[in-house]
Amino acid sequence: MNDLSLLQKKRLKYKPTLPKLLIDLEKVQFRKIDSKSPLKDLENLFPNTFSLPAYELVSGQGTHKPLKIGVVFSGGTAAGGHNVICAIFDTGAKVIGFLNGPSGIVENQSREIKDVSLYRNQGGFDLIGTGRTKIETEEQFAASLKTVTEHKLDGLVIIGGDDSNTNAALLAEYFLKAGCTTKVVGIPKTIDGDLRTDEIEISFGFDSACKTYAELIGNIERDALSTKKYYHFIKLMGRSASNIVLECALATRPNLALISEEKRGLDGIIEEIVNLVIERNAAGKDYGVILIPEGLIEFVPELNEMAKELNLEKDPHGNVQVSKIQTEKMIIDLVEKELAKKNFKGKFNVQGHFFGYEGRSCMPTNFDATYCYALGTLAALCIREELTGVICSIQNLSKDPESWTLKAVPIIQLMHIETRLGKQKPVIQKALVDVNGTSFIYFAAQRKRWQIEDQYCYPGPIQYFGDPDLCDLAPQIVTDIQKPHASTSDSS
Ligand code: FBP
């Protein structure tokens, strides 16, 4: 490993403040709780896991046994993942890391993790690597069963997004059917913030990614205001959902932020940008900042058609690789053409940006570091108590960790049937921006004012040391779901 920076060294020493229940693991147990029933259509596909209950962690008498736990990262990186593994390691379990994603399970590529001391509170997934292999053929399932049986694993923890947790549910079902005792537990990961349900308030990595992008957007806003010569079109990651754009818009107040879930036509979008440019020009402002979600392609049929012509491969889960599509450039071209048609005489100098990979492997925020450590500990407890096919759920995240509630929820309760690569598949439904939700309503009430007046806000870099209000806050969209009513007044 390279020499560590001073900040890395300081972060190695950070100790997440945990919910009380996770401090003495011998004094906790799971209690069954009422939860919603899975979709009836899933019963045939999941006969062994269909009726599994949900559990809540409560005080009580825990068991104590030596555990052997496999861990795997699946999909894109997200800040905090190493803390999930550190937490499992710290419970005293023997930890086997599967290398470079789910293919490590199928091909039995693994190594025992004997030392995590250089990975605490650090970004990336490089301790064991990650990958996007989807376990779907009978051969892959059989090979996975062989791997976990050979390793005599008590449990396998899959750290992934919606598709990876779908894989976790399928593996749990397959292992049970085969009489294998290895339990499968999922951890909600993805910067996209689209693995959200009543039980999963946010996936880890979203907070760190948004705070990284928001810093950069704020810097660009200030540059735009200083130099007054460019329109900055900034595409932000988020394969389908615009959760990242919404969170960053709330933090930075750009002149315009497109939200795909409003399902507008291309003409309307271009007209809005053109009008913005013309109106700002009339106000003496030939500069501005516009946020574009990378998932816009999926929601605007005309852009979708243009993207199809690029003939991009889909990933193994059937997702279009939207990060490879220069949506911001397509929009800039269309706006330029429309302005020319309107004989616009002002200046329209543009800079295009794409912020994606910059925010996935950064050092985790205190929120993500703490959330991940709690998730990892909870996963080890699920395996100790022999729960399978469940995802770790922590709620009340906008509050102090003392108030967090810790649950194990059957993954199947999050699933529905969707057409993927032309076939009907059981998957976890992606959580899009809720246009009737508190965060969107607040944003919608403010945005008109942000267009012409420059109401830019500069969040600055992620803070790790000092005032908790500056260092420890949960993402805004999580805080908003815990507010009783949407506030439409400006909080500035
Ligand atoms: P996950 O859902 O696997 O965490 O990945 C999300 C994401 O970062 C998307 O925002 C983006 O479109 C995609 O991964 C990029 O994928 P890749 O790393 O394969 O280029």
Side-chain angles (χ1 to χ4, degrees):
M1 168 175 282
N2 300 339
D3 280 349
L4 299 180
S5 69
L6 189 55
L7 184 58
Q8 274 186 294
K9 286 183 194 157
K10 297 250 181 217
R11 290 305 288 164
L12 287 178
K13 295 190 185 137
Y14 174 71
K15 294 249 180 297
T17 311
L18 291 178
K20 265 207 193 95
L21 283 174
L22 295 184
I23 291 174
D24 186 348
L25 303 185
E26 292 190 13
K27 294 202 177 128
V28 285
Q29 62 187 56
F30 283 102
R31 180 186 68 192
K32 274 186 202 168
I33 50 172
D34 288 341
S35 59
K36 66 172 192 190
S37 311
L39 211 68
K40 195 79 186 120
D41 294 357
L42 295 166
E43 192 164 7
N44 290 341
L45 295 166
F46 294 89
N48 295 286
T49 45
F50 187 75
S51 309
L52 291 179
Y55 293 87
E56 182 173 7
L57 194 72
V58 292
S59 302
Q61 190 54 52
T63 50
H64 179 72
K65 51 185 167 190
L67 294 174
K68 192 171 180 191
I69 299 179
V71 292
V72 66
F73 287 127
S74 181
T77 52
H82 284 142
N83 271 20
V84 175
I85 297 182
C86 293
I88 297 172
F89 180 88
D90 290 346
T91 62
K94 188 167 185 165
V95 183
I96 306 297
F98 289 100
L99 305 179
N100 304 321
S103 63
I105 307 174
V106 177
E107 293 159 17
N108 199 358
Q109 296 288 319
S110 66
R111 70 176 177 82
E112 185 181 345
I113 298 173
K114 293 189 168 157
D115 180 12
V116 293
S117 59
L118 294 178
Y119 291 90
R120 295 183 186 279
N121 311 304
Q122 306 293 317
F125 284 178
D126 47 302
L127 174 60
I128 51 174
T130 186
R132 288 201 183 276
T133 300
K134 180 173 166 65
I135 300 176
E136 58 181 343
T137 64
E138 174 55 32
E139 291 72 30
Q140 287 172 315
F141 278 105
S144 305
L145 175 64
K146 188 160 174 275
T147 300
V148 299
T149 309
E150 270 176 28
H151 282 284
K152 297 195 176 70
L153 293 183
D154 295 293
L156 175 64
V157 177
I158 298 189
I159 305 166
D162 49 337
D163 292 329
S164 316
N165 275 285
T166 297
N167 250 188
L170 291 164
L171 276 175
E173 176 68 27
Y174 190 87
F175 290 173
L176 271 182
K177 187 172 158 209
C180 164
T181 53
T182 304
K183 311 300 176 210
V184 186
V185 175
I187 298 277
K189 171 236 65 162
T190 174
I191 63 159
D192 290 2
D194 58 1
L195 177 45
R196 295 176 81 203
T197 64
D198 291 345
E199 310 285 356
I200 310 291
E201 290 180 0
I202 197 66
S203 48
F204 82 76
F206 176 78
D207 185 56
S208 308
C210 289
K211 286 183 174 140
T212 302
Y213 304 142
E215 178 202 355
L216 301 175
I217 296 163
N219 295 350
I220 287 181
E221 288 176 340
R222 199 130 208 187
D223 197 273
L225 191 62
S226 307
T227 60
K228 299 188 170 58
K229 64 174 178 180
Y230 291 126
Y231 270 94
H232 294 271
F233 284 71
I234 307 173
K235 182 178 83 161
L236 294 173
M237 250 188 192
R239 196 197 304 281
S240 295
S242 311
N243 296 314
I244 291 179
V245 165
L246 180 58
E247 178 77 13
C248 291
L250 292 170
T252 62
R253 306 179 190 177
N255 300 110
L256 183 67
L258 300 176
I259 301 292
S260 312
E261 288 81 345
E262 289 189 89
K263 298 202 176 127
R264 304 172 54 197
L266 185 60
D267 289 350
I269 291 173
I270 301 303
E271 191 186 329
E272 181 171 24
I273 302 177
V274 165
N275 288 343
L276 178 120
V277 171
I278 294 173
E279 281 177 44
R280 285 182 65 83
N281 172 263
K285 298 176 179 183
D286 288 326
Y287 61 90
V289 175
I290 295 174
L291 306 186
I292 299 168
E294 72 170 2
L296 194 67
I297 286 288
E298 200 181 299
F299 291 81
V300 180
E302 300 92 323
L303 289 177
N304 205 301
E305 285 307 313
M306 286 156 88
K308 274 189 196 147
E309 284 165 25
L310 299 173
N311 243 337
L312 288 174
E313 258 181 57
K314 291 191 173 171
D315 79 3
H317 296 270
N319 298 306
V320 179
Q321 295 182 287
V322 282
S323 293
K324 293 188 174 165
I325 304 171
Q326 293 185 308
T327 323
E328 72 285 13
K329 296 244 158 60
M330 291 177 177
I331 292 196
I332 291 168
D333 282 355
L334 292 167
V335 170
E336 273 170 344
K337 282 189 190 130
E338 203 50 38
L339 283 170
K341 268 199 222 155
K342 288 195 183 293
N343 218 2
F344 176 66
K345 294 284 179 243
K347 290 190 201 119
F348 182 61
N349 292 321
V350 288
Q351 296 284 356
H353 311 262
F354 169 37
F355 298 152
Y357 301 95
E358 294 84 343
R360 303 200 314 180
S361 281
C362 58
M363 270 185 234
T365 56
N366 285 353
F367 172 80
D368 272 329
T370 306
Y371 182 32
C372 285
Y373 199 88
L375 285 168
T377 313
L378 183 60
L381 289 171
C382 290
I383 291 166
R384 185 183 81 178
E385 302 304 313
E386 302 188 355
L387 310 185
T388 195
V390 292
I391 188 164
C392 294
S393 145
I394 303 187
Q395 290 175 292
N396 277 334
L397 289 171
S398 71
K399 313 258 166 53
D400 197 78
E402 287 292 293
S403 325
W404 291 2
T405 52
L406 307 145
K407 293 183 191 166
V409 177
I411 301 172
I412 191 173
Q413 291 183 9
L414 278 49
M415 292 169 84
H416 78 158
I417 306 273
E418 223 173 74
T419 308
R420 292 275 182 101
L421 297 172
K423 288 193 185 139
Q424 294 279 94
K425 297 269 180 195
V427 292
I428 297 174
Q429 192 166 14
K430 283 189 199 303
L432 304 177
V433 165
D434 176 6
V435 292
N436 296 312
T438 308
S439 302
F440 181 83
I441 290 173
Y442 176 79
F443 160 77
Q446 303 300 316
R447 62 180 163 185
K448 187 76 201 149
R449 218 152 51 82
W450 300 349
Q451 288 201 348
I452 308 299
E453 293 169 32
D454 294 330
Q455 295 273 325
Y456 302 145
C457 189
Y458 315 118
I462 292 170
Q463 300 292 307
Y464 297 107
F465 310 102
D467 185 350
D469 278 355
L470 210 52
C471 303
D472 299 346
L473 288 188
Q476 188 64 44
I477 62 172
V478 171
T479 307
D480 283 350
I481 50 172
Q482 275 145 28
K483 279 185 197 153
H485 299 292
S487 159
T488 49
S489 64
D490 191 356
S491 57
S492 64

